Amino acid sequence: MLTCIIRYEIDPTKKAQFETYARNWGQAIPRCGADLIGYFAPHEGSSTLAYGIYNIENLAEYEAYRARLAADPLGQENYAFAQSERFLLREDRTFLKLCSTPHGNPK
């Protein structure tokens, strides 16, 4: 299992647009096959950093998921919304693998 962490730099004057974008992905991403952990908007500290986090089985499944997302009507609408509103200034994806399991104190 891989965790995709999308780091966004957003326009701080357009936080509401990012939150709409995030809610839309909250519907489309699970429907298209990824296990969405969530989207996170700035609250305290930085006013420009936001994150989207989801799990995907592997990179091959990620490619199939991205194709489904690009073909999804809400996905297409959300991509267009981001382009027209211009609230995303930068977007970086990192794929990580969990290596700390099991969690907790062994007895």
Side-chain angles (χ1 to χ4, degrees), residues 52-69:
I53 305 171
Y54 61 87
N55 293 316
I56 196 87
E57 192 171 327
N58 54 48
L59 290 177
E61 180 53 34
Y62 170 74
E63 293 301 327
Y65 151 78
R66 292 282 293 182
R68 290 188 297 271
L69 197 61

Side-chain angles (χ1 to χ4, degrees), residues 38-61:
Y39 268 73
F40 301 86
H43 177 71
E44 185 69 28
S46 173
S47 62
T48 61
L49 289 180
Y51 294 89
I53 305 171
Y54 61 87
N55 293 316
I56 196 87
E57 192 171 327
N58 54 48
L59 290 177
E61 180 53 34

Side-chain angles (χ1 to χ4, degrees), residues 5-23:
I5 299 177
I6 308 168
R7 180 182 181 268
Y8 296 98
E9 180 182 343
I10 65 169
D11 180 334
T13 67
K14 296 183 176 183
K15 183 179 164 187
Q17 287 90 329
F18 178 80
E19 291 174 353
T20 297
Y21 177 79
R23 284 190 298 275

